[in-house]
Amino acid sequence: MFYGNLELKEVNVKGIEYIGDGAFINCVKLDTIDLTTVYEIGIEAFKSCAGLVNVSLDNCVKLNKSAFWVCNNLQSIYMPKIEFIDSAAIAETAV
């Protein structure tokens, strides 16, 4: 999708229900994304997105393997409806 886009800072995915595997890997400047309608996040979808600090997953029920892996600046994830978090989904973050 946006894999490796080094300039991407903001994305509006309102209405999207699934973020695919590797969709935003290495989008290091990505700091704003609305994920309120997303119900599932794929494997390594946001891997190495260093710009992410706070993420709100209002409707997300499934967070797949390494979804936010190596998002070093990620400090909080709001997931009120989460049912499944796979291994290393938030590894190497500040969460």
Side-chain angles (χ1 to χ4, degrees), residues 29-95:
K29 291 185 180 178
L30 180 64
D31 61 9
T32 305
I33 188 164
D34 183 345
L35 298 169
T36 55
T37 59
V38 174
Y39 71 89
E40 182 177 351
I41 296 180
I43 297 169
E44 295 185 352
F46 293 97
K47 178 184 173 188
S48 298
C49 290
L52 293 176
V53 177
N54 301 301
V55 173
S56 183
L57 303 172
D58 296 356
N59 293 300
C60 189
V61 294
K62 187 173 183 182
L63 199 57
N64 285 298
K65 183 177 179 181
S66 305
F68 291 95
W69 184 36
V70 195
C71 292
N72 300 1
N73 296 311
L74 187 61
Q75 296 176 9
S76 70
I77 302 179
Y78 176 69
M79 302 179 286
K81 296 182 179 179
I82 201 75
E83 296 174 5
F84 178 82
I85 299 177
D86 206 329
S87 64
I90 53 175
E92 296 187 48
T93 69
V95 177

